[in-house]
Amino acid sequence: MAFHDKELTVPGAVEIAGRHVKRYHIDQPDRRLEPEVVEAAYAYLPKLLPAPDGTTPPASWVVLHRGADSGAYLLAYSWFFDNVVECRIAIAGQPALDCPDDNPAHFVPLDRPGVGCVWELGVLEHERAAWVRHLLAPDRPDLAGYLADTRAEGPVGR
């Protein structure tokens, strides 16, 4: 199978479980994320978010990625200890990764220590730079600026 870009959309930030969460969706060019997959993913998301640590601004970002086959992937990245990212992942519809079925709306935790695939890591690159720009480099941290600073929508992968 040849490599191809996928489509990145940015639905906006929300507050979930005491954290500000920037949201990114990655779709197949010819198939958008189904509403039932999106609904199931955001219902599952609180299980992936750690409690705020009391010192780091409670910020996270999430990538919801629809695979080319039956799989869907929900990756929650959360800042802690000022400048460290934690990643927790749930997967659905991917029996090759021990999902119980091929239903892309039936999320279960991924027990492997992954951090993302080539399409998802482009978002991580942006988020690292945005955290430095808005929270670490300025004299006064700007959480609102960080939350507004998202990767541009459009093709992602290369």
Side-chain angles (χ1 to χ4, degrees), residues 136-151:
L136 299 181
D139 292 335
R140 300 188 102 181
D142 179 13
L143 180 60
Y146 168 74
L147 294 172
D149 186 342
T150 59
R151 182 174 167 133

Side-chain angles (χ1 to χ4, degrees), residues 6 9-10 13 18 29 38 66 69 88 91 100 106 116 121 129 144-145 148 153:
K6 296 183 182 182
T9 57
V10 184
V38 174
R66 187 64 162 95
D69 53 14
R88 297 180 185 178
I91 54 176
H106 182 196
L121 292 176
E153 292 186 329

Side-chain angles (χ1 to χ4, degrees), residues 49-78:
L49 297 173
D53 66 14
T55 59
T56 306
S60 299
W61 76 92
V62 63
V63 177
L64 177 57
H65 179 180
R66 187 64 162 95
D69 53 14
S70 59
Y73 310 91
L74 179 63
L75 297 92
Y77 301 89
S78 298

Side-chain angles (χ1 to χ4, degrees), residues 22-34:
K22 295 166 76 170
R23 297 180 298 160
Y24 294 95
H25 292 176
I26 298 175
D27 292 301
Q28 297 300 314
D30 57 347
R31 181 179 57 173
R32 309 311 290 181
L33 276 160
E34 301 91 337

